């Protein structure tokens, strides 16, 4: 088994290296994903109308009790 693994490693090392998809487009995909992530969260945080008050004091008022 070890000899087969070693033989495969040597064969791959001697092979001419051709860039695969990740070598060609990896950084581009990463940057594109980061841009989409930032745009979506930027929209959510600024446009969604979320009240960013972390303290509930003064916001929660008891409803009138109905009999």
């Amino acid at each position: 088994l070890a000899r087969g693994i070693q033989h495969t490693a040597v064969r791959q090392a001697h092979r001419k290296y051709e860039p695969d998809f990740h070598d060609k487009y990896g950084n581009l995909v990463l940057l594109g994903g980061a841009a989409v992530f930032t745009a979506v969260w930027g929209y959510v945080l600024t446009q969604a109308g979320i009240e960013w008050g972390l303290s509930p004091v003064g916001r929660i008022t008891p409803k009138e009790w109905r009999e």
Side-chain angles (χ1 to χ4, degrees):
L1 179 67
R3 197 182 314 158
I5 293 173
Q6 192 177 22
H7 185 73
T8 303
V10 167
R11 191 170 53 210
Q12 286 179 349
H14 282 288
R15 186 183 62 170
K16 185 169 69 72
Y17 182 75
E18 60 235 13
D20 62 1
F21 179 85
H22 294 287
D23 292 325
K24 288 182 181 178
Y25 305 111
N27 288 335
L28 199 66
V29 170
L30 188 69
L31 289 174
V36 170
F37 178 87
T38 304
V40 169
W41 276 107
Y43 176 81
V44 168
L45 295 178
T46 57
Q47 303 297 318
I50 299 172
E51 293 280 335
W52 290 109
L54 296 179
S55 172
V57 175
R59 293 181 186 273
I60 300 173
T61 57
K63 284 199 300 187
E64 293 295 324
W65 182 258
R66 291 181 305 192
E67 289 293 332

